[in-house]
Amino acid sequence: MAARDSGLGGLRRLVGWPLVVLLATVAFILGYIGFAAAPATDDESAIDLAYLSLQLFTVNSGTAAGPSPPLALEIARWLAPVATAYALGRALLRVFRDEIDQWLLHRRNGHVVVIGLGWLGLAVVDSLVDRGKQVVAVAIDVDEETAAAMRRDRVPVVVGDARDPEVLEDARVHRAEHVVVLAGTDEMNVEMALAVQRLSREQGEGSLVCLTHVRDAQLCHLLRSKALADEQVDGFRLELFNVAEEAAAIMLDEHAPFLVDDALVRIGVIGDNDIAAAVITEASRIRGLGFGETLDVVWAAPGDSMERTGRRLPQVQRNAAVEVVPGPPGTLEAKSIEHLAGCRVVFVGLDDDSSAIATALYVADRIAPVPVVVALGAWTGLSELLSTASTGFSKIYPFLVYERLLGADLLLAGMGEKLARLVHTMFVEERTAGSESPDPATLVEWRDLPEEYRASSRAQAARLGPKLYAIGCGLAPLEEWGAPEATLTEDEVEKLAQLEHEGFVAERMGAGWEKGAMKDRDRRIDPFLVSWDELARVPGGEEARNVNRAAAWGIPALLARAGYRLVRPAHVPEDLRP
């Protein structure tokens, strides 16, 4: 699948060879008209006039009309050489484009490296180019169609295995801002991410975020636990994301807001692919954490789906009351339709888009007015068809998975960003309920929060794992939403609060802040940039210490809302221990 034409690539082509042809045509016509009107060429034939006009492109024949040429010829005498020079320049650029791109590549900084040029990788590259990002692609092998697409978008391609440090160096990974790993299997993606981490540790000079796609949801959760618990390498952050999980979260947010509001809730799911399983898992998490009740699910899928999915996602079995009824790839029986008709919303998740569309069309009329949300991969052309297929009684909502995920800011995906948002959300909840008078600029939605405060929340989220490790605790995926939260001792809370303050001081000092008597944000002065013990003697310092203690007490709740739990060493699974 070739990458689609980006907006910038289309603009370059519009002002490319079509412009050359237009300039040359206008110059030739004006030259012909000018020579025909010139007294010095009155006796020339039509062929002679055309020949004289052609010679203008080589800066010849311009004086054939005499000392006072007509205006049309005067314009043509300048326009024709310009067209020739422009065409010659474009030809030379085309011949030496690869050499020029390689020269520019070795001087790039702050770019995005996309590893893997499958159809998803190509879509990511297109999305980034459309948003004006500088992109470098890395792939083990590139076919002619893909290479042509990358040339059109002026995206340099480094051919080689991204597990090889020399390949990563050629892509200037150590000078990039983001690396997106979409190479293939989960094992390969993780190996490449670790290679990026090693290179960043050895040669990194800035801040690098490596986003790595892991398709297996349970593996993604386990790897996130380790990544969050590991001590962070300065200037490097590893983020693991799962497309099905991200898609399920958006679908439920848009089509099932009632999960945290209503007492009686039942949803339907058709199919047993990754997205179908992720919808059940995420919906049960929202229901359990937000409303404290088990989710009722009607699942139209093969009979062994619950057993197979339960082995990969134990949360499904433990946190949802699932009734499995016959469904795809078999037929939807009358019993299945009857049970789905009793749901608030039905989600369709099948690997084959044509089957998903057919199923949605078949079901929608039979369970109306229950809305049907169908997840699709690449069949964007049929989304309008599905929407128009809806009537006043039946409603079908196509959800274009990759287009929606790419339409959001992919570079801000991952658990680190989610934790940062939760850190800010819990901060706002605490300060709104308290008696303090915090900075009003901090009590806003995440999307309205100034970037400086966002960066602070991200830094606090990044310190979470190392802080827990310092008190002998680890992280593991939360498998039972209603399970009691782990409790912290007062000594542990005091230690966590102290570590958070020390991290805050280091963060501020690194950003150029200085200690001063009065806080001044414009001059970057803060009286709290002292040790934990000294902070108690600074005016307002004890209040700041209490804020850190409150944040420490809230860590178990923060982790639960993110789908993780705090565990003691004796309860840490062997493969999650540092």
Side-chain angles (χ1 to χ4, degrees):
M1 175 179 174
R4 60 177 173 77
D5 289 345
S6 72
L8 292 177
L11 179 62
R12 282 194 295 268
R13 284 185 291 281
L14 180 64
V15 299
W17 292 113
L19 181 59
V20 172
V21 173
L22 177 63
L23 291 175
T25 302
V26 171
F28 178 81
I29 293 173
L30 290 176
Y32 187 94
I33 293 172
F35 281 122
T41 56
D42 282 345
D43 296 332
E44 304 287 352
S45 66
I47 294 178
D48 292 332
L49 296 176
Y51 184 71
L52 289 171
S53 297
L54 288 174
Q55 285 186 311
L56 290 173
F57 291 96
T58 59
V59 201
N60 286 322
S61 78
T63 59
S68 300
L71 178 61
L73 180 56
E74 192 67 50
I75 296 174
R77 291 168 63 179
W78 289 100
L79 191 59
V82 168
T84 301
Y86 185 54
L88 181 60
R90 285 193 59 84
L92 289 174
L93 283 175
R94 189 174 185 85
V95 171
F96 296 105
R97 182 161 55 186
D98 289 343
E99 288 77 6
I100 294 172
D101 286 344
Q102 288 301 316
W103 182 84
L104 292 174
L105 171 60
H106 286 88
R107 284 153 182 79
R108 285 200 174 179
N109 293 295
H111 54 291
V112 181
V113 178
V114 177
I115 300 176
L117 285 179
W119 75 270
L120 179 56
L122 287 171
V124 170
V125 169
D126 271 340
S127 176
L128 294 172
V129 170
D130 280 346
R131 285 183 285 162
K133 298 285 186 180
Q134 285 191 321
V135 182
V136 175
V138 178
I140 293 177
D141 188 28
V142 181
D143 58 39
E144 272 303 315
E145 189 177 7
T146 300
M150 294 299 97
R151 281 195 296 269
R152 284 196 300 269
D153 282 346
R154 298 300 301 273
V155 174
V157 179
V158 177
V159 179
D161 191 331
R163 290 168 290 191
D164 183 346
E166 292 185 3
V167 173
L168 296 179
E169 288 183 32
D170 287 344
R172 303 275 291 175
V173 162
H174 54 293
R175 302 296 293 274
E177 281 189 355
H178 290 85
V179 176
V180 184
V181 184
L182 304 161
T185 65
D186 289 346
E187 180 182 4
M188 182 180 292
N189 286 350
V190 172
E191 287 179 1
M192 290 178 174
L194 293 176
V196 171
Q197 183 182 40
R198 287 192 293 270
L199 183 65
S200 176
R201 180 179 295 149
E202 295 168 2
Q203 301 185 28
E205 301 176 12
S207 178
L208 174 63
V209 179
C210 180
L211 293 113
T212 305
H213 181 229
V214 178
R215 179 175 179 179
D216 186 287
Q218 188 68 1
L219 176 61
C220 187
H221 284 193
L222 292 170
L223 291 173
R224 276 178 181 164
S225 299
K226 288 186 68 68
L228 289 171
D230 286 346
E231 185 174 357
Q232 299 292 308
V233 177
D234 288 341
F236 179 84
R237 190 170 89 242
L238 175 62
E239 294 282 8
L240 300 122
F241 72 98
N242 176 272
V243 166
E245 182 182 279
E246 300 283 345
I250 299 174
M251 292 165 67
L252 289 167
D253 182 59
E254 294 180 353
H255 299 285
F258 51 78
L259 287 171
V260 295
D261 296 330
D262 299 343
L264 299 176
V265 170
R266 172 179 287 187
I267 68 169
V269 177
I270 302 175
D272 65 344
N273 69 353
D274 292 341
I275 290 180
V279 165
I280 298 174
T281 303
E282 181 66 11
S284 67
R285 185 187 71 83
I286 294 172
R287 183 70 173 168
L289 295 177
F291 205 79
E293 291 190 0
T294 300
L295 176 71
D296 287 332
V297 181
V298 175
W299 195 2
D304 62 343
S305 294
M306 190 64 191
E307 180 183 350
R308 288 188 289 107
T309 302
R311 287 197 295 268
R312 292 188 298 117
L313 299 170
Q315 301 95 325
V316 172
Q317 288 181 316
R318 297 177 183 176
N319 302 289
V322 181
E323 178 186 7
V324 180
V325 297
T331 57
L332 279 165
E333 301 175 359
K335 172 187 173 183
S336 302
I337 298 293
E338 180 183 344
H339 284 251
L340 290 169
C343 298
R344 293 285 297 275
V345 62
V346 172
F347 297 91
V348 179
L350 297 170
D351 285 330
D352 181 64
D353 280 355
S354 59
S355 298
I357 291 169
T359 300
L361 291 170
Y362 178 79
V363 169
D365 287 336
R366 290 166 175 77
I367 65 173
V370 178
V372 176
V373 183
V374 53
L376 300 174
W379 278 33
T380 57
L382 291 182
S383 61
E384 185 176 350
L385 170 64
L386 285 178
S387 298
T388 56
S390 301
T391 66
F393 300 99
S394 64
K395 292 293 183 183
I396 302 176
Y397 298 94
F399 183 88
L400 306 176
V401 174
Y402 297 106
E403 181 175 299
R404 289 297 304 276
L405 293 182
L406 296 176
D409 196 346
L410 176 67
L411 301 183
L412 293 179
M415 185 51 64
E417 190 72 10
K418 292 179 181 178
L419 280 174
R421 290 170 180 257
L422 284 173
V423 164
H424 174 67
T425 298
M426 295 183 70
F427 169 81
V428 172
E429 291 173 353
E430 178 195 342
R431 287 305 183 93
T432 303
S435 59
E436 301 93 344
S437 299
D439 183 350
T442 64
L443 301 183
V444 296
E445 295 288 337
W446 177 264
R447 64 175 177 272
D448 300 321
L449 191 67
E451 184 57 33
E452 180 183 1
Y453 293 111
R454 289 193 192 188
S456 181
S457 293
R458 291 179 185 125
Q460 186 175 341
R463 293 191 291 266
L464 181 60
K467 285 191 304 184
L468 292 176
Y469 180 68
I471 63 169
C473 294
L475 295 173
L478 181 64
E479 296 179 351
E480 295 187 41
W481 308 136
E485 294 175 358
T487 56
L488 296 166
T489 67
E490 290 188 6
D491 288 342
E492 288 172 335
V493 166
E494 192 71 11
K495 178 67 172 177
L496 290 170
Q498 178 180 345
L499 290 172
E500 178 55 36
H501 175 70
E502 291 172 354
F504 164 79
V505 171
E507 173 199 335
R508 283 290 172 94
M509 299 289 279
W513 285 66
E514 297 178 355
K515 175 188 171 184
M518 297 290 291
K519 187 170 183 178
D520 188 328
R521 184 168 296 280
D522 294 333
R523 296 170 57 197
R524 292 182 172 260
I525 295 175
D526 193 329
F528 295 162
L529 301 185
V530 296
S531 70
W532 178 253
D533 292 334
E534 289 179 271
L535 186 60
R537 298 188 291 273
V538 174
E542 190 58 34
E543 180 184 338
R545 282 160 56 107
N546 287 333
V547 169
N548 284 325
R549 291 182 183 117
W553 284 116
I555 285 176
L558 171 69
L559 292 174
R561 290 170 74 164
Y564 290 85
R565 60 191 173 97
L566 183 151
V567 290
R568 304 291 179 182
H571 302 100
V572 179
E574 195 70 35
D575 58 344
L576 290 180
R577 296 183 184 179

